[in-house]
Each structure stands twice: as C-alpha cells, then as structure tokens.
C-alpha cells in the first residue's frame, strides 16, 4: 500500500488533476466558445498568488482562500475579457499571450508576490484540525476535477453552451440569432479563469511554494496543447489530453535529456496526423458530408436559380 | 538622457523590425502566426558562432552564412510543420509551431548545453563614440542600425523592383489569382520563409554580439515580442511593422529608463500593444474589416 | 399597420455606395419582395435591417421604435429574424440544436442557472425543445432532428435555416433567396410554407430571383438597382414598369 501511495506518485496524481482542471477551464474558452487564449497561465497565477497571499498575510484558512481565489479570478476574467475579447482570432491570441507575459512579469517584480524569490511556506490545508495527508489532498483534487467536469458538461448542454458553440462556429450567425456575443465570450472567459483560479489555489497549497517561473508562456502553451490533443470542445478530450501531456514528462523521464525533444516531436506529429484530437469530430467526415451536398449541386444549382429569372 | 534613450530605442527597434518582418511576411502570405520564428533567430546566432569558431570565417562571412542557413531552416520548418496543415484549424498550426520551437531549442541545448555562452572573439571590441550633449553611440549599435537600414532597403527593392517581388506581392494579395497566373505558390511561400528567416538570423547574430550572449532559449522572448510589433503594425503590413518596431523600441527604452519598473522591460511591449488595441482593435495600420 | 420603416437608409463601403437613400416600409402581415439584379444592394439592405451592418446614414424604425445603432442580437431580440443567401448553418451541430439556437432569445437560463439546473431551467429547456421540434415539423425535417446539419441536402438546409429563424418567433422574417439552388418541387414546398406563414399573420420580406414565386406570392415588390430603390408597387405594376424592365431585366442579360 505504501508503495502505491508514496508521496512521489501522489504528487503526480495531484499535479495531473490540477492540469485537468486547467484544461477543462481553457476548453470552455477555446473549445466551447472558440476564443483562443495563449495566456491561461495568467489566471492560474492569479489564483495561486491570491490564495497564497490570503493565507500568508490574511491568515485565511485554505477552505476560504480557495473560493476567494476563484472569485478573484472570475472577476479578473471579466475585467480582462471585456477589453480583450473586442479583438478577434489572431489578434486575440497575441493579446492573451501578452496578458500572460504581463502577469508573469508583475509576479516577478511586485513586492506582494515576493518578486523573483516567490512565496514560500504557504500553509497546507487542514482537515478536521489535522494537516491534510498527501492522500486526502489527492482525493480532494480529483473531487474538484469531477466537479469541474460536471459543471462544464452542464454549461455545455444548456442555452448558454449552445450560444458558445454558435459563436465558435459562426459569430455572425450567433449575433443574428440574438446572442450577445461579447457578453457570452466574457462569460466563457470568466468561467475558464475561475477554473484556473481553483487550480492555482490547489497548486499553491500543495507545493507550498510558488514563483513566477511556474506561470509562463510555456505553461499556457502546454494547457492549450492538452485540449487540442484531446479534441477542442470535448470534455473527455480535455481530461484525456491533460492526463497524457501532464504524464508525458514523467513517462519520458528515462529518456532524460531527450525528453523535451520527443515531446516537441509528438506535438508536431499529432497536429499533422490527428489534428482533430483524440475525441474530436473528424473534419474529414464533415468535409465528406460537405462534398456530398455540394455534389448535389450547391453552386451549380445557384446558377440555375438565377437563370430562372428570365 | 532623453535623447540617449531614444537612440537606444531606435537600435532596439531596428532589431525588432528585422525579427518581425519575417512574421509579417509569413502572415501576409499564409495568414499564419509563425510561432517558431523566434527559434530561427536563435539558430542564426548559433550558426554565426559555429561559423566563426569552427569554420574560422571572418565575421561578415559568418554573418552571411548564418543568414543563408537560417533561411534554409525557415524553409524546412514550413515544409515540416506548416505545409501539411495548410487547411487545418489555426490552433493546430500554432501548436505545430510551438512543437518545432521545443524541438529546436532542445536540439541546440543537447549540442551546445543550456548555459549562456559569450559571442566568439571576432576582433571587434566595443567602442563608444560621443555625439555631443552627453549623447553617445557604440559601434555595435551602429552595426545594428546600418544593417537594419540596408536589409530593409534590399527587401523593399526586391519586393518593388523585381519580378519575383511582384509575384510575391501578388501571392500575398490573392493566392488563387496568383496561382491562375502561373505563379508557383509553394516557391513563393518558401521564399517568404527564407527571407524572413534570414532577416531574423541577422538580428540574432547582431543582438548576440551586442549583448555578448548566446543560449538556446534566447529567441523565445524576442520572438514573442516580435508578435506584438506585428500586431501593432496591423498584422501583415510591412510599413506598419517598421513603424511598430521603432515605436516599440523607443517606448520600451524610455519606459525602462524612466519608469520605476513594476514589470520587466519585456512586458512593456505588451502593455503598449493592449493599450493600442483597446483604442484600435486592428492595430495602428490595420484596415477595418466588415464582412458577412 | 407599419411594422418597419426606413428613411434615407444608406450604407457606403469606402467610396462605394451599396445602399443609397432607401425609403421603404413593411406593413404587418404582408409579403414583400425585394428584387433586382445581383449586386443591387438587396442583401446589404437585409444586413442593415437585421443589424449586421451599421447604416452610414438614415433611420430604421421598427414597431414604432427607432432602432438606430442596434446590433444584430438586439434586432433579433426586437423580433427580426433572417436567413442567409449563402446558407450559414452550424454544420457540426445537430439539426435540432440549430433550431434550439433560434430559440435563444426566448430563453432566460443563465450560466449559473444552467449549472444548478433547477426546475425552471429544466422546464424551459423542455419547452424550447418541444417548440423547436414543432418548427422542424413545420418544414418537414423532424426525422433529421439528431443528424448533424451538415448532412442535409441543399434544399433541406435552406428549410432548416427558415425553421431556425422561425424559432425566434419573429415579428418580421427576412428570407434571403429562400429557393436558390432548389428544384421545382422544393420551390413549391417553400411557396406553400410561405403561404402557410402568411395565413398565420407572419410578416415576410424576401429577396428572390425566381419570378414565378415572386409574382405569385408577394403582394408588393420593391425593385433595387445600384443600391437605390427604383420602383415599387404590385407585381402587375412592376411587370409593366418600363424603368424596371430596362434597369433590371436589361442588366440581368449582361450577367450571363
């Protein structure tokens, strides 16, 4: 029993769970609502720092610091989403990339975040007056994962979720159907941020030490890779993608120095041979359908329709 | 002090322009955010270093060789990471580029180690020239400024005065029409990657010389910042990129010199970018697009 | 009763004037046809009154309310629904989901409501699903409800777009070339659908090139050419109007 539950493995279980929550959150923004974010790690950082600072300086217990971090990231998501989401597609990708770098840089320089030294001695959560064991922390993390997946699923299969998909597929049509696209995009952004806030809080109180290095562009890119690998917009996909990519560095550990090289190769190969991701609806199938009705005479018939005017 | 910061900013801006032009040209022709571009800058710096140390080439030749090598690497990247995905979702292309970045950075780390190396000795020592009023410029700064002017000038001549240039412009304006006119699209795309990568290599070499530092991840921050230059300039506009680069260089230099920083100089670029996009969501020189 | 009115409605793109000083009105319960050669500004006009474009100048008055500066979603909320000339379905979503989206403005469930999924939200979801199925039955696509919209035939896709627009329960329905690309049988189906909607007091404005349909369905026609309204009147009046024959039919000949 001890061997399976040793701190090393439990640590991996916790970290993987945290990544699953991050991926589920970004999947709402990018997968459901179609808004590419390259700065998701900013919200992860805000959650982690908020939770850490509230515990260290406000002496708040973990069980209050975590929801506080969630609320703060939700609000930050709205505040940052409102201006950012005015720009589209490639512009948005770069703006969110910028937001990520700005927040990392703030964390690196501000006094309250401990500057480049980061914040240490973040208290571990207590349960019934006892410090939580690694095992109970892992269980708690995965309970949050389950909750996160459930909430994402409920949100997706609702009026709001359908509006998100409409924005993703064709923003103009969504607009014409009465969807306030700005509002809905900000909503997705805020919910994704909230997920990252929860993940950040868990991370801070698990590792008990955070610094700006943990929240850079690489982190954002990794989370994005997870949901693309799983299949954009798919909840099981986000979970699977996050588990696979979070485990990859561990599994590839014996390859030592070649580990990251292979990771990069994997990304390139996957994008080439399975761009729709593991759980994604294959574009090839969609194209085949598209061809089928085109053959039935999309443009051809249109010309015929025009000629009827004579 | 103020004018000194402006001068330093223009130098910095010239380097940004050299990196960002490649991104602009690639975006212009393929509408693609080339995330591996920063690593090409790194490849350029390392190529110069290798050419100087192992091939014993004089600096100018090493510099040119690095541009050619990096240009070829650029072509290769397009072949491997982007061409197979030409009709894929932009996010796929983005991640493919990130994958290439990880591969290249780690290849160079395996070969050369992760540590920062000094630029090899090329019998160029830093000299400072006084310009009066306390203003001064170093010879390295002059190299960067002059190289940027020359290379941008050459690029303009190539684009405006040659047949290949005309074909390139035609392709980036309307790929289908260009194809119908018998232009080999893939060759134009390859040429774009070659030119852009060569310019990035020039910047990589000069900046490595200026800061006397070469390391495998040296391209990541300049690569990301170049994106903010490109977006500032309105995505895909060469004149926009040039002005965006100078603007950013100067602001960054002034910001770092005057403002008691709460953020790194690196992040200033993005603060500016976001402020500009707040006012004008399509960048300084972007056109307003309305389509149904 | 006036449902919609435009006053000197104008839209320019750069130096190009796509819609120029158009005065028109739509009365409740009528079927109005917009005709004119390709590029005459009909679709741009639709885009203006559905809020997808903002007018350069002029006014739009809908149900006695100035709707100047309304965005697309606000026009939809106000009760204007439309279809698109180049069918714009969400092809990876199911047929039913497409219609459900049309009912967006009639729902209230927000994000937290959807997550908690209380009785009110469940009831609402049940209701809009039922109503969406009714829209599908109206256009005869109920059997395809759970197929992805992309698998439908061209004609079926056009009908689905109409069902989706109807799900808004619009006061005004804008149909942009509803029969383009359809065979004769499908055109008849669309015609009887439009008649059915009229009998249920729907107000419809349609852009159409099929003269058989236009002359038989529309009570009133407006002719566009070069962004301007060049004539209006009953189908009979339009058919004999020399200006129309010259501007419209003459131009059409050039196109081919």
């Amino acid at each position: 029993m001890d061997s399976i539950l040793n701190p090393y493995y439990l640590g991996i279980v916790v970290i993987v769970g945290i990544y699953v929550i991050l991926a589920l959150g970004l999947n709402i923004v990018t997968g459901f609502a179609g808004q590419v974010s390259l700065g998701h790690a900013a919200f992860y950082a805000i959650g982690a720092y908020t939770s850490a600072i509230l515990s260290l300086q406000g002496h708040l217990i973990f069980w209050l610091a975590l929801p506080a971090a969630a609320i703060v990231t939700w609000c930050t998501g709205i505040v940052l989403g409102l201006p950012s989401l005015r720009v589209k597609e490639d512009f948005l990708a770069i703006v969110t990339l910028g937001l990520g770098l700005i927040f990392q840089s703030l964390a690196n320089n501000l006094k309250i975040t401990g500057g480049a030294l980061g914040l240490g001695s973040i208290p571990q959560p207590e349960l019934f007056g006892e410090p939580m064991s690694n095992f109970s922390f892992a269980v708690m993390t995965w309970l949050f994962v389950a909750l996160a997946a459930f909430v994402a699923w409920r949100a997706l299969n609702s009026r709001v979720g359908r509006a998100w998909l409409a924005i993703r597929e064709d923003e103009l049509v969504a607009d014409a159907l009465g969807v306030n696209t700005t509002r809905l995009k900000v909503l997705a952004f805020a919910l994704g941020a909230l997920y990252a806030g929860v993940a950040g809080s868990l991370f801070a109180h698990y590792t008990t030490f955070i610094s700006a290095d943990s929240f850079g562009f690489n982190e954002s890119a990794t989370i994005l890779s997870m949901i693309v690998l799983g299949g954009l917009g798919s909840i099981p996909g986000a979970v699977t993608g996050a588990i696979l990519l979070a485990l990859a560095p561990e599994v590839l550990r014996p390859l030592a120095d070649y580990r990251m090289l292979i990771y990069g190769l994997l990304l390139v190969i996957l994008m080439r041979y399975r761009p729709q991701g593991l759980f994604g609806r294959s574009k090839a199938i969609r194209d085949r359908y598209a061809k089928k009705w085109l053959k039935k005479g999309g443009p051809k018939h249109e010309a015929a329709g025009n000629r009827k005017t004579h | 002090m103020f004018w000194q910061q402006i001068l330093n900013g223009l130098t910095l801006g010239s380097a940004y322009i050299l990196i960002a032009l490649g991104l602009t040209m690639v975006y212009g022709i393929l509408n693609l955010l080339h995330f591996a571009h920063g690593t090409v800058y790194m490849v350029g710096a390392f190529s110069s270093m290798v050419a100087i140390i192992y091939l014993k080439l004089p600096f100018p030749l090493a510099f040119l060789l690095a541009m050619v090598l990096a240009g070829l690497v650029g072509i290769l990247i397009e072949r491997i990471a982007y061409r197979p995905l030409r009709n894929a979702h932009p996010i796929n292309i983005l991640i493919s580029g990130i994958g290439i970045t990880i591969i290249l950075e780690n290849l160079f780390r395996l070969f050369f180690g992760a540590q920062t190396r000094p630029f090899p000795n090329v019998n160029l020592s830093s000299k400072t020239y006084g310009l009066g009023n306390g203003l001064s410029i170093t010879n390295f700064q002059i190299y960067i400024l002059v190289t940027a002017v020359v290379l941008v000038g050459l690029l303009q001549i190539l684009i405006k005065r040659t047949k290949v240039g005309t074909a390139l412009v035609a392709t980036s304006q309307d790929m289908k029409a260009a194809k119908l006119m018998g232009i080999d699209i893939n060759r134009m795309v390859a040429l774009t990657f070659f030119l852009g990568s060569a310019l990035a290599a020039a910047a990589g070499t000069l900046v490595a010389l200026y800061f006397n530092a070469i390391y495998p991840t040296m391209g990541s921050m300049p690569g990301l910042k170049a994106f903010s230059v490109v977006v500032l300039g309105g995505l895909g506009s060469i004149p926009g990129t040039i002005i965006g680069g100078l603007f950013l260089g100067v602001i960054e230099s002034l910001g770092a010199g005057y403002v008691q920083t709460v953020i790194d100089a690196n992040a200033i670029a993005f603060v500016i970018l976001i402020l500009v996009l707040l006012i004008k969501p399509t960048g300084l020189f972007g056109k307003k697009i309305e389509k149904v | 009763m006036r449902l919609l009115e435009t006053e000197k409605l104008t839209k320019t793109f750069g130096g190009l004037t796509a819609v120029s000083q158009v005065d028109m009105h739509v009365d409740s319960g009528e079927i109005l046809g917009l005709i004119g050669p390709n590029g005459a500004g009909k679709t741009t006009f639709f885009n203006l009154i559905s809020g997808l474009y903002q007018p350069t100048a002029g006014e739009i008055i809908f149900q006695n309310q100035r709707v100047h500066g309304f965005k697309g979603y606000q026009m939809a909320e106000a009760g204007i629904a439309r279809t698109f000339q180049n069918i714009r379905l969400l092809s990876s979503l199911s047929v039913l989901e497409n219609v459900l989206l049309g009912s967006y403005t009639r729902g209230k469930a927000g994000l937290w409501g959807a997550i908690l999924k209380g009785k009110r939200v469940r009831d609402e979801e049940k209701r809009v699903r039922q109503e969406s199925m009714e829209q599908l039955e109206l256009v005869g696509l109920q059997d395809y409800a759970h197929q992805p919209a992309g698998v439908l035939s061209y004609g079926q896709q056009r009908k689905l777009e109409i069902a989706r627009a109807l799900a808004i329960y619009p006061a005004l329905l804008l149909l942009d070339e509803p029969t383009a690309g359809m065979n004769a049988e499908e055109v008849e189906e669309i015609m009887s659908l439009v008649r059915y909607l009229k009998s249920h007091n729907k107000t419809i404005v349609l852009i159409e090139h099929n003269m058989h349909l236009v002359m038989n369905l529309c009570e009133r026609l407006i002719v566009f050419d070069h962004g301007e309204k060049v004539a209006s009147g009953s189908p009979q009046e339009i058919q004999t109007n020399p200006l129309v024959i010259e501007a419209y039919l003459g131009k059409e000949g050039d196109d081919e």
Side-chain angles (χ1 to χ4, degrees):
Chain A
M1 196 63 180
D2 257 13
S3 60
I4 308 165
L5 296 182
N6 83 31
Y8 175 72
Y9 289 119
L10 283 174
I12 294 175
V13 170
V14 170
I15 295 298
V16 169
I18 288 171
Y19 274 111
V20 174
I21 297 171
L22 285 167
L24 282 167
L26 185 61
N27 190 45
I28 292 168
V29 182
T30 306
F32 296 173
Q35 307 303 304
V36 180
S37 170
L38 286 174
H40 202 57
F43 297 111
Y44 185 32
I46 293 168
Y49 278 104
T50 305
S51 199
I53 292 166
L54 285 176
S55 313
L56 287 170
Q57 296 183 7
H59 304 290
L60 222 57
I61 57 164
F62 166 77
W63 303 103
L64 292 175
L66 182 132
I71 292 168
V72 168
T73 45
W74 165 270
C75 296
T76 324
I78 292 174
V79 171
L80 295 180
L82 270 172
S84 317
L85 293 162
R86 289 179 53 203
V87 300
K88 289 187 180 148
E89 292 156 18
D90 297 337
F91 286 94
L92 180 63
I94 304 300
V95 166
T96 49
L97 162 74
L99 285 178
L101 293 175
I102 291 169
F103 274 91
Q104 189 189 19
S105 169
L106 283 174
N108 229 336
N109 287 283
L110 290 178
K111 220 173 149 199
I112 194 166
T113 57
L117 293 174
L119 293 175
S121 319
I122 302 163
Q124 284 191 308
E126 291 188 359
L127 194 63
F128 310 121
E130 298 273 321
M132 246 174 142
S133 69
N134 283 330
F135 177 76
S136 18
F137 200 105
V139 171
M140 172 183 71
T141 304
W142 280 85
L143 285 176
F144 273 112
V145 168
L147 181 66
F150 176 72
V151 166
W153 180 76
R154 274 272 171 94
L156 177 64
N157 292 292
S158 74
R159 174 172 172 269
V160 172
R162 285 191 294 269
W164 282 337
L165 296 181
I167 293 170
R168 179 187 78 187
E169 299 277 308
D170 193 334
E171 193 168 336
L172 189 117
V173 165
D175 186 36
L177 292 175
V179 177
N180 182 342
T181 52
T182 311
R183 205 186 118 81
L184 267 287
K185 284 195 275 187
V186 171
L187 200 59
F189 210 64
L191 187 60
L194 184 149
Y195 276 46
V198 171
S201 175
L202 289 170
F203 179 74
H205 292 273
Y206 184 75
T207 59
T208 69
F209 166 78
I210 53 173
S211 77
D213 293 342
S214 309
F215 310 106
F217 172 68
N218 288 344
E219 210 67 14
S220 297
T222 306
I223 304 164
L224 187 67
S225 307
M226 288 170 172
I227 59 170
V228 174
L229 167 65
L232 279 176
S234 156
I235 295 170
V239 175
T240 316
I243 293 174
L244 288 178
L245 282 196
L247 282 180
E250 301 301 330
V251 176
L252 298 175
R253 199 171 283 279
L255 299 166
D257 280 350
Y258 296 92
R259 178 168 73 126
M260 285 309 285
L261 190 67
I262 291 177
Y263 181 78
L265 272 173
L266 272 176
L267 287 185
V268 175
I269 292 169
L270 275 166
M271 289 311 104
R272 180 162 178 173
Y273 295 105
R274 199 160 170 88
Q276 78 276 25
L278 301 171
F279 287 77
R281 214 178 281 188
S282 156
K283 191 174 170 296
I285 292 175
R286 251 188 286 165
D287 283 354
R288 214 181 309 137
Y289 286 134
K291 272 197 201 99
K292 207 168 89 186
W293 70 257
L294 269 179
K295 219 182 267 167
K296 282 188 180 160
K300 209 173 62 199
H301 273 239
E302 200 150 45
N306 285 345
R307 232 170 281 129
K308 275 182 205 151
T309 42
H310 288 287
Chain B
M1 182 64 182
F2 174 78
W3 291 106
Q4 186 65 53
Q5 297 299 348
I6 298 275
L7 184 67
N8 294 346
L10 290 176
T11 315
L12 192 62
S14 305
Y16 287 157
I17 292 169
L18 289 178
I19 310 169
L21 276 175
L23 292 178
T24 300
M25 290 161 67
V26 167
Y27 192 84
I29 201 163
L30 289 178
N31 276 338
L32 162 167
L33 297 179
H34 175 19
F35 257 88
H37 193 59
T39 52
V40 177
Y41 163 98
M42 175 272 292
V43 170
F46 270 96
S47 305
S48 291
M49 183 191 83
V50 170
I52 291 164
I53 295 179
Y54 299 102
L55 305 178
K56 307 265 186 288
L57 290 181
F59 178 70
L61 275 183
F63 180 79
L64 288 176
L65 180 68
M67 284 178 69
V68 173
L69 276 176
L72 295 175
V73 169
I75 292 178
L76 207 64
I77 290 174
E78 193 269 328
R79 268 288 169 81
I80 296 170
Y82 299 143
R83 192 175 300 176
L85 299 177
R86 217 170 264 177
N87 296 316
H89 193 288
I91 300 180
N92 291 128
I93 293 165
L94 202 146
I95 290 177
S96 197
I98 291 171
I100 290 286
T101 305
I102 297 174
I103 293 171
L104 281 174
E105 281 182 3
N106 283 284
L107 267 180
F108 277 75
R109 190 174 54 84
L110 287 173
F111 276 114
F112 298 100
Q115 78 280 17
T116 304
R117 301 159 160 260
F119 199 80
N121 186 1
V122 287
N123 294 325
L124 287 170
S125 49
S126 173
K127 290 190 198 74
T128 308
Y129 307 100
L131 301 171
N133 288 332
L135 204 60
S136 66
I137 188 166
T138 71
N139 54 338
F140 291 160
Q141 282 183 305
I142 296 175
Y143 298 152
I144 294 178
L145 283 166
V146 170
T147 313
V149 171
V150 169
L151 289 178
V152 170
L154 286 175
L155 182 69
Q156 285 298 316
I157 291 171
L158 178 91
I159 288 176
K160 298 244 162 87
R161 298 277 157 85
T162 66
K163 234 180 118 179
V164 171
T166 317
L168 206 59
V169 174
T171 313
S172 60
Q173 278 171 354
D174 189 338
M175 196 177 264
K176 265 186 205 154
K179 204 172 187 172
L180 289 174
M181 279 157 49
I183 296 173
D184 183 344
I185 301 296
N186 284 335
R187 265 182 68 184
M188 289 302 129
V189 171
L191 179 66
T192 303
F193 272 84
F194 181 85
L195 293 173
S197 303
L199 293 177
T205 303
L206 290 172
V207 173
L209 176 70
Y210 183 46
F211 289 121
N212 198 25
I214 301 183
Y215 49 99
T217 55
M218 67 183 281
S220 70
M221 196 41 85
L224 296 182
K225 270 154 85 176
F227 275 114
S228 85
V229 170
V230 172
V231 175
L232 264 181
L235 263 184
S237 146
I238 291 183
T241 303
I242 292 170
I243 294 169
L246 292 177
F247 178 70
L248 201 67
V250 169
I251 297 270
E252 199 178 302
S253 178
L254 285 177
Y258 281 95
V259 185
Q260 195 52 275
T261 47
V262 284
I263 54 171
D264 308 324
N266 283 333
I268 293 176
F270 289 97
V271 174
I272 303 293
L273 172 77
I274 289 168
L275 289 178
V276 167
L277 288 180
L278 273 180
I279 301 159
K280 203 162 175 298
T282 48
L284 290 175
F285 296 90
K287 281 172 244 127
K288 193 164 188 280
I289 316 152
E290 216 177 3
K291 61 180 174 193
V292 168
Chain C
M1 201 192 88
R2 288 284 150 92
L3 184 64
L4 176 88
E5 203 168 346
T6 68
E7 288 169 3
K8 302 213 176 330
L9 196 63
T10 303
K11 178 68 183 177
T12 57
F13 296 103
L16 195 92
T17 305
V19 170
S20 174
Q21 309 251 347
V22 172
D23 290 310
M24 61 85 78
H25 67 90
V26 184
D27 290 326
S28 281
E30 77 170 330
I31 299 179
L32 174 71
L34 299 188
I35 59 172
N38 287 326
K42 303 179 302 281
T43 295
T44 307
F45 186 74
F46 260 25
N47 289 340
L48 287 170
I49 54 182
S50 57
L52 301 187
Y53 285 162
Q54 297 306 314
T56 315
E59 285 291 338
I60 304 170
I61 297 142
F62 183 64
Q63 292 177 325
N64 297 320
Q65 190 196 358
R66 283 164 43 120
V67 289
H68 195 82
F70 270 38
K71 299 219 167 65
Y73 76 90
Q74 291 166 312
M75 289 294 199
E77 280 169 357
I80 298 181
R82 67 169 294 169
T83 66
F84 293 89
Q85 183 183 352
N86 50 334
I87 304 177
R88 291 178 86 145
L89 290 170
L90 310 172
S91 56
S92 69
L93 304 193
S94 77
V95 168
L96 178 63
E97 280 170 321
N98 269 277
V99 184
L100 278 169
L101 261 165
S103 67
Y104 182 82
T105 52
R106 293 185 296 112
K108 283 203 182 66
L111 177 62
W112 299 108
I115 291 165
L116 299 172
K117 213 170 180 181
K119 184 166 175 353
R120 243 199 346 227
V121 175
R122 280 199 308 266
D123 289 348
E124 177 186 302
E125 185 72 13
K126 214 171 127 189
R127 174 173 61 82
V128 293
R129 276 181 185 269
Q130 205 172 345
E131 288 165 353
S132 298
M133 281 309 288
E134 286 165 15
Q135 305 302 334
L136 281 179
E137 279 163 29
L138 192 63
V139 298
L141 289 175
Q142 65 278 21
D143 294 342
Y144 297 89
H146 299 292
Q147 308 270 358
V151 307
L152 295 182
S153 77
Y154 196 75
Q156 288 171 325
Q157 295 203 13
R158 286 222 178 270
K159 289 183 196 160
L160 178 52
E161 267 214 344
I162 296 175
R164 186 174 72 181
L166 285 173
I168 292 184
Y169 286 12
L172 175 63
L173 178 63
L174 309 173
L175 302 177
D176 196 346
E177 299 198 20
T179 67
M182 286 187 166
N183 59 36
E185 191 186 333
E186 287 170 325
V187 172
E188 285 306 321
E189 283 169 19
I190 294 291
M191 285 177 72
S192 59
L193 177 63
V194 171
R195 284 201 189 94
Y196 171 85
L197 292 173
K198 164 151 179 75
S199 72
H200 284 70
N201 291 320
K202 290 276 177 216
T203 312
I204 298 171
V205 179
L206 51 88
I207 295 175
E208 193 44 78
H209 283 297
N210 184 331
M211 282 301 147
H212 165 67
L213 179 145
V214 168
M215 294 299 165
N216 280 293
L217 272 185
C218 300
E219 292 141 295
R220 208 155 58 84
L221 295 177
I222 292 180
V223 186
F224 273 68
D225 192 28
H226 294 105
E228 290 176 31
K229 181 175 118 175
V230 292
S232 68
S234 70
Q236 289 71 32
E237 285 164 358
I238 294 295
Q239 263 174 325
T240 51
N241 185 331
L243 253 173
V244 175
I245 294 167
E246 184 198 314
Y248 178 46
L249 297 177
K251 178 75 190 275
E252 186 72 7
D254 300 343
D255 279 359
E256 306 286 314

